Amino acid sequence: MVALKYYIIESREQYFEYCKILKELVFSDNESNEREIDLLTLLIEKWDKEHSTLKDLDPIELLKYLMEDHNL
């Protein structure tokens, strides 16, 4: 039996590592990575959905904050 390569994301470090791997796969010339890309995308989206704090913010306040943070 083959060991799993990826698991449900349980930490920020693992999240960022998977994002890095996904980026490398997406920009590689190897077209056989499609299933791996799909799996990583699902895992990352699941983490984002469960840990996003932006959904609680007012969109106008968020834009104001981002503009101020970037000196716009």
Side-chain angles (χ1 to χ4, degrees):
M1 183 170 223
V2 177
L4 294 174
K5 189 171 183 177
Y6 302 108
Y7 299 91
I8 300 293
I9 299 173
E10 297 177 345
S11 68
R12 290 181 58 88
E13 293 78 17
Q14 185 182 12
Y15 170 82
F16 289 120
E17 179 64 25
Y18 282 15
C19 288
K20 178 183 169 201
I21 294 168
L22 178 60
K23 181 180 175 184
E24 291 169 0
L25 290 171
V26 167
F27 290 105
S28 74
D29 291 333
N30 189 349
E31 293 181 13
S32 65
N33 295 332
E34 187 174 330
R35 293 182 82 182
E36 196 169 352
I37 290 170
D38 289 344
L39 176 58
L40 282 169
T41 300
L42 285 172
L43 293 171
I44 291 168
E45 285 177 348
K46 180 182 183 317
W47 172 270
D48 284 340
K49 182 183 273 187
E50 293 173 358
H51 295 87
S52 175
T53 56
L54 296 179
K55 63 186 169 205
D56 299 334
L57 298 176
D58 174 55
I60 302 296
E61 292 302 315
L62 175 60
L63 283 173
K64 286 179 180 178
Y65 168 78
L66 290 172
M67 290 174 68
E68 182 178 314
D69 192 50
H70 294 292
N71 297 319
L72 299 174

